C-alpha cells in the first residue's frame, strides 16, 4: 500500500467519480482505476460500488476512508516538518474559516503574510463554524477561524478580537423609528437567519436568549446559507437580522439597510488547532501575525 494509492482512493471517494478524480490528480483514468483496483484486489475487499457513471463507497470503503485520510495527513505533517528545516522557502499553509471571517477579516491578513513569506502558498476553505471545526479535526486544514464556540476535545481554541454585531432592517421598517425595547417587541417582526451550525446563527440565538426568547418564539421568514443572501433578503423587506458590521457596513452607509438602536455585545473570533498536530513554522508565523 502506497501513499499515492491512498491519495487516489481519497480523491475518488470525495468526488464519487473516477474521471473527475483523475483530472484533479493529473493522472490518466486508467492509472486511477488501476490504483483503486490494486487496493481492492490486494486486500480482497470491495471499496466502491459502481452505480452508473458514479462510484459510491461501500461500508468498508467508508471505514477505510477515515484511516486513509489520517495516514495522508500524517505524511503531510512530516513533509511540513521538513519544510520548517528549509526555512519557509517553500510550503503550504491551509486555512479554514467561517463566512464572515473568510470574506472580510482574513484576506488582508493573508496578504500581509504573503508579503513577508512569498514562498508559502496559502489555501482557504470556507464553511460554517461547525464545518470548519470538522476540517481541523480531520486535518484537512491546519488552522481554523470561526465565530461560534466549538466544543471538541481534540482541538485547542484561542480567542481573538472579533467584530461588532448589529440588528439591521430595511428602511421604512417600524423599528427604524421605534427600536424594540422589550422581548415582546422582538416578536413583532419576521426574522431572517443563517443555517444551524453557523457562528452568526449562534450569535443571534444568544442575543434572543439574553432577552428570554428562543427561535420558537419568533417568526423566521427564511434560513439562508450565506451572509450576503441575508443582506439581500433584509434589504427586500423580509424581516430583521443580526449580522456583523463587517458584513452590513457598506449597505448601512448606502442607506440600503438601517442599524437599529439595540444593544448587542462585541463578538470574539476563535482560532482552532488540533492538539496532536505539530505546529509548523508557517502556522506559528501566521498566529504571530494575527
Amino acid at each position: 500500500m502506497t501513499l499515492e494509492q491512498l491519495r487516489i482512493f481519497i480523491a475518488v471517494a470525495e468526488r464519487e467519480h473516477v474521471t473527475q478524480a483523475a483530472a484533479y490528480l493529473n493522472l490518466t483514468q486508467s492509472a486511477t482505476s488501476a490504483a483503486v483496483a490494486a487496493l481492492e484486489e490486494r486486500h480482497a475487499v470491495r471499496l466502491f460500488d459502481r452505480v452508473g457513471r458514479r462510484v459510491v463507497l461501500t461500508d468498508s470503503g467508508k471505514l477505510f476512508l477515515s484511516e486513509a485520510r489520517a495516514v495522508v495527513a500524517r505524511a503531510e505533517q512530516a513533509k511540513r516538518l521538513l519544510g520548517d528545516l528549509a526555512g519557509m522557502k517553500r510550503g503550504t499553509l491551509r486555512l479554514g474559516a467561517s463566512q464572515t471571517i473568510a470574506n472580510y477579516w482574513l484576506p488582508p491578513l493573508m496578504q500581509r503574510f504573503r508579503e513577508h513569506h512569498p514562498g508559502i502558498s496559502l489555501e482557504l476553505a470556507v464553511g460554517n463554524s461547525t464545518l470548519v471545526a470538522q476540517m481541523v479535526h480531520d486535518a484537512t486544514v491546519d488552522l481554523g477561524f470561526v465565530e461560534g464556540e466549538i466544543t471538541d476535545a481534540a482541538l485547542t481554541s484561542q480567542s481573538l478580537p472579533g467584530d461588532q454585531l448589529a440588528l439591521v432592517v430595511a428602511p421604512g421598517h417600524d423599528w427604524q423609528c421605534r427600536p424594540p425595547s422589550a422581548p415582546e417587541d422582538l416578536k413583532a417582526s419576521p426574522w431572517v437567519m443563517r443555517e444551524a451550525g453557523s457562528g452568526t446563527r449562534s450569535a443571534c440565538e444568544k442575543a434572543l436568549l439574553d432577552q428570554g426568547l428562543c427561535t420558537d418564539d419568533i417568526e423566521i421568514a427564511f434560513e439562508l446559507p450565506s451572509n450576503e443572501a441575508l443582506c439581500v433578503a433584509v434589504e427586500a423587506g423580509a424581516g430583521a437580522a443580526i449580522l456583523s458590521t463587517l458584513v452590513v457596513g457598506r449597505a448601512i452607509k448606502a442607506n440600503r439597510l438601517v442599524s437599529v438602536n439595540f444593544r448587542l455585545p462585541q463578538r470574539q473570533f476563535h482560532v482552532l488547532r488540533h492538539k496532536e498536530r505539530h505546529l509548523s513554522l508557517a502556522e506559528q508565523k501566521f498566529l504571530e501575525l494575527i
Side-chain angles (χ1 to χ4, degrees), residues 7-257:
R7 290 191 179 98
I8 292 171
F9 165 74
I10 292 169
V12 174
E14 290 177 344
R15 288 159 184 79
E16 296 187 338
H17 201 285
V18 174
T19 303
Q20 292 178 11
Y24 170 76
L25 296 167
N26 198 27
L27 296 172
T28 64
Q29 182 175 341
S30 60
T32 303
S33 298
V36 174
L39 279 175
E40 292 181 321
E41 292 170 10
R42 174 66 180 81
H43 301 281
V45 62
R46 180 174 288 278
L47 299 173
F48 294 101
D49 285 325
R50 279 67 180 176
V51 181
R53 295 185 177 181
R54 296 173 55 236
V55 290
V56 180
L57 283 170
T58 63
D59 289 342
S60 297
K62 292 175 183 176
L63 291 172
F64 183 60
L65 179 59
S66 63
E67 294 296 329
R69 281 173 169 162
V71 171
V72 171
R74 187 69 178 176
E76 288 296 322
Q77 182 176 340
K79 181 180 176 182
R80 285 194 297 273
L81 180 59
L82 293 177
D84 288 352
L85 300 177
M88 291 183 64
K89 293 181 180 178
R90 295 178 61 185
T92 301
L93 179 59
R94 303 167 303 167
L95 307 175
S98 49
Q99 286 193 24
T100 301
I101 295 174
N103 292 334
Y104 300 94
W105 185 80
L106 201 54
L109 295 171
M110 293 173 67
Q111 174 57 22
R112 284 173 57 192
F113 182 86
R114 182 174 178 274
E115 290 171 356
H116 288 91
H117 308 289
I120 303 298
S121 173
L122 292 173
E123 297 177 356
L124 178 60
V126 184
N128 64 34
S129 293
T130 300
L131 181 57
V132 170
Q134 189 62 48
M135 292 177 190
V136 179
H137 187 109
D138 293 341
T140 56
V141 300
D142 304 312
L143 300 173
F145 296 88
V146 298
E147 303 137 28
E149 295 278 353
I150 297 296
T151 303
D152 186 331
L155 308 182
T156 64
S157 177
Q158 180 181 347
S159 297
L160 302 169
D163 58 354
Q164 180 62 50
L165 296 169
L167 174 60
V168 293
V169 295
H173 191 284
D174 289 346
W175 289 353
Q176 182 174 1
C177 299
R178 294 187 299 278
S181 57
E184 288 300 315
D185 297 339
L186 297 173
K187 299 179 182 181
S189 172
W191 287 73
V192 185
M193 288 194 175
R194 283 284 305 278
E195 79 285 1
S198 157
T200 299
R201 171 65 174 258
S202 297
C204 185
E205 290 175 344
K206 186 179 185 305
L208 291 172
L209 190 61
D210 290 342
Q211 298 294 320
L213 300 174
C214 67
T215 53
D216 290 338
D217 297 321
I218 61 172
E219 177 191 349
I220 300 178
F222 298 112
E223 288 186 2
L224 299 172
S226 74
N227 295 327
E228 289 69 24
L230 255 69
C231 281
V232 173
V234 175
E235 289 176 23
I242 291 177
L243 286 164
S244 168
T245 53
L246 294 173
V247 176
V248 298
R250 291 182 180 178
I252 291 172
K253 287 182 180 179
N255 297 317
R256 299 196 308 272
L257 289 176

